[in-house]
Amino acid sequence: MKIWGRRNSANVKKVLWAAEELGLPYEQIDAGGAFGIVSTPDYLARNPNGLVPLLEDGDLTLWESNTIVRYLAARYGAGTLWIADPGARAEAEKWMDWSHQFAAPFREVIFGLLRTPPEKRNLAAIEGGRVAVARLFGIADAALATTPWLSGPAFGIADIVLGPFAYVWMELAIERPDHPHLADWYRRLQTRPTWPTAVAIGLS
């Protein structure tokens, strides 16, 4: 199994974390960002979008991070990450699809604070992103008041997808609303043995 993508990408982290949770052997290949590769003909033949992550599992090639997480859980996670009941699984998967709303506002925050020199920052765009992300995490906080995990009674695929976003949000030196249920959930994520390897690798 090969997983293409730079480790500081939230979307790549999802896939790496799922593989780690499932105990799958894999080769991680740096691609995207400063590593390039994604615009080469060889890579575009695998993923015409020129994005990461990309999974190669035998003869199967997959792109789209949430799809890859679902696939890994379905193929390798019976009794652990895969939720057999269709209704319960849909409850978890709705959070996976909902997480796409984080992409645009998080881009403003991450690129603005981590990847742009202070003198070139667009402070209005950063603040707009921060407010939008805070609102979204408020929705998750309300849900976590009634369930220990976004995936349901047990840690699972929805938590894997939202966890990398939560890591950046919680570790950035940024103003955050008081979301006690989200904070409790985040503390429990940090106790996963796979968390330091797949997610908590530093902000960049």
Side-chain angles (χ1 to χ4, degrees), residues 117-155:
E119 68 276 8
K120 295 184 179 180
R121 289 174 182 167
N122 183 333
L123 298 181
I126 294 170
E127 176 61 9
R130 187 196 68 79
V131 170
V133 172
R135 181 188 67 81
L136 290 170
F137 272 128
I139 295 172
D141 180 71
L144 288 163
T146 61
T147 183
W149 302 101
L150 292 171
S151 301
F155 171 86

Side-chain angles (χ1 to χ4, degrees), residues 57-103:
D57 187 19
D59 294 331
L60 178 68
T61 300
L62 278 181
W63 32 270
E64 289 298 325
S65 59
N66 289 357
T67 295
I68 297 171
V69 171
R70 288 184 177 101
Y71 162 74
L72 292 176
R75 181 158 188 174
Y76 300 107
T80 56
L81 292 184
W82 185 242
I83 304 170
D85 178 74
R89 186 169 67 251
E91 288 285 348
E93 289 185 322
K94 74 181 180 185
W95 290 106
M96 299 174 72
D97 295 333
W98 173 82
S99 72
H100 289 300
Q101 297 185 58
F102 280 95

